[in-house]
């Protein structure tokens, strides 16, 4: 499903690019070439069609991108990747090494008072 959605996104992007290139920023664009065939669709209708197609294709790319991001994580069908396996093995290995290390912490007494060292009087 992810691959299918990716193909749809690429096709919509290509169509969107072509439609944007066809348009003229001042409203001429493709419609300017059809000045003799105003009887069929009309100049204004061609511009409206191109503008609507631009908005619909842009919306389709956004929606398909969001939907495909949902299928991105389910595309593996529950299989773990090699990187995930390596990370899990490293975590287990580190935990075993930490458990095998001896604990050499010095015992502390809760009521121990610190011993102060005598201060030397230095002549100035």
């Amino acid at each position: 499903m992810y691959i299918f959605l990716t193909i749809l996104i690429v096709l919509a992007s290509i169509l969107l690019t072509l439609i944007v290139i066809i348009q003229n920023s001042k409203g001429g664009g493709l419609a300017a070439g059809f000045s003799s065939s105003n009887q069929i669709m009309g100049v204004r209708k061609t511009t409206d069609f191109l503008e609507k197609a631009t908005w619909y294709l842009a919306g389709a790319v956004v929606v398909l991108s969001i939907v495909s991001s949902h299928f991105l994580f389910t595309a593996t069908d529950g299989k773990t990747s090699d990187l995930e396996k390596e990370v899990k093995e490293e975590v287990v290995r580190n935990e075993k090494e930490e458990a095998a290390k001896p604990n050499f912490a010095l015992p502390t007494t809760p009521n121990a008072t610190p011993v102060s060292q005598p201060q030397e009087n230095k002549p100035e």
Side-chain angles (χ1 to χ4, degrees):
M1 186 67 165
Y2 177 73
I3 294 172
F4 175 70
L5 289 173
T6 304
I7 291 170
L8 286 179
I9 291 170
V10 169
L11 289 175
S13 300
I14 291 171
L15 286 173
L16 182 62
T17 303
L18 293 174
I19 287 178
V20 168
I21 289 174
I22 288 172
Q23 292 179 8
N24 186 3
S25 62
K26 295 181 179 152
L30 182 65
F34 292 118
S35 60
S36 63
S37 62
N38 283 343
Q39 296 91 7
I40 298 172
M41 214 167 129
V43 175
R44 184 69 187 146
K45 293 205 183 247
T46 304
T47 306
D48 288 343
F49 170 75
L50 291 175
E51 185 178 346
K52 286 181 182 178
T54 302
W55 283 107
Y56 284 126
L57 284 172
V61 168
V62 169
V63 169
L64 288 172
S65 297
I66 292 171
V67 171
S68 69
S69 70
H70 170 72
F71 287 105
L72 177 65
F73 296 109
T74 59
T76 58
D77 296 329
K79 300 175 187 173
T80 57
S81 66
D82 292 335
L83 180 63
E84 286 177 313
K85 288 178 185 176
E86 289 179 27
V87 169
K88 287 179 182 178
E89 289 172 1
E90 185 68 26
V91 167
V92 170
R93 189 177 313 120
N94 286 340
E95 288 175 352
K96 287 181 181 178
E97 288 176 2
E98 287 294 322
K101 287 183 183 178
N103 189 0
F104 288 115
L106 296 175
T108 59
T109 57
N111 296 328
T113 57
V115 177
S116 62
Q117 297 192 2
Q119 297 179 354
E120 296 179 19
N121 292 329
K122 295 182 182 178
E124 292 181 16

